[in-house]
Amino acid sequence: MGAQKKFLILAMLMALAFVAFSTTTPYEDNTQTTSLRGVSRLLASPRVDVSMKCDKYPRMCRVRGSPGPDCCNKKCVNVSKDRFNCGKCGKRCKYSEICCKGKCVNPRSDRKNCGSCNNKCKKGSSCVYGMCSYA
């Protein structure tokens, strides 16, 4: 019975030590936020000012991982696919349309872009509800 008590106490001490050492990290940031006013409590972190905009540095839109190679309204976009800048900056497609190769098209009825861009219907078939030869 004495050995079991010793083993139980040893296991509890090891668990306590594990919890105590796992909660502290050697790279803790000791900076504290003084106010949460204007910042979400969940995302309370220092604000970073992004000074690089594509209107001043247009080459930044051509970097790998960029949303697109073109700069519209200080944002990198792809004018051949973007609904809000279709073909040129500021040209918006209607609600039911998508941007394919810089043109606003309705994918529910367009034979060359049926359902999505570059989905062509076969000759003699029509595009209805975004599907070729629906009826």
Side-chain angles (χ1 to χ4, degrees):
M1 187 80 169
Q4 288 178 344
K5 281 186 179 179
K6 288 180 184 178
F7 179 73
L8 183 62
I9 291 173
L10 182 62
M12 289 174 55
L13 285 174
M14 287 176 55
L16 183 64
F18 177 74
V19 169
F21 288 119
S22 66
T23 57
T24 60
T25 59
Y27 302 107
E28 280 189 9
D29 188 14
N30 291 332
T31 59
Q32 295 179 358
T33 342
T34 57
S35 172
L36 293 176
R37 185 174 300 197
V39 179
S40 169
R41 288 179 184 239
L42 180 65
L43 302 174
S45 61
R47 293 186 183 195
V48 178
D49 182 29
V50 180
S51 59
M52 287 188 63
K53 304 272 188 205
C54 68
D55 61 334
K56 294 180 183 177
Y57 304 99
R59 288 179 37 180
M60 70 180 275
C61 292
R62 295 186 190 107
V63 176
R64 179 181 284 158
S66 172
D70 308 302
C71 181
C72 292
N73 300 325
K74 300 179 184 179
K75 294 181 183 176
C76 297
V77 296
N78 188 346
V79 293
S80 63
K81 296 179 182 178
D82 188 25
R83 291 186 68 231
F84 303 107
N85 300 291
C86 188
K88 64 180 182 177
C89 292
K91 182 182 175 194
R92 299 179 80 152
C93 294
K94 293 179 184 175
Y95 178 75
S96 62
E97 296 178 334
I98 59 174
C99 185
C100 294
K101 295 182 181 176
K103 294 182 181 178
C104 294
V105 296
N106 187 344
R108 296 174 52 100
S109 61
D110 189 356
R111 289 187 62 227
K112 294 180 182 177
N113 302 290
C114 189
S116 64
C117 293
N118 300 323
N119 186 22
K120 296 179 183 178
C121 293
K122 293 180 182 175
K123 197 170 190 175
S125 64
S126 61
C127 180
V128 180
Y129 302 119
M131 295 178 275
C132 295
S133 301
Y134 177 71

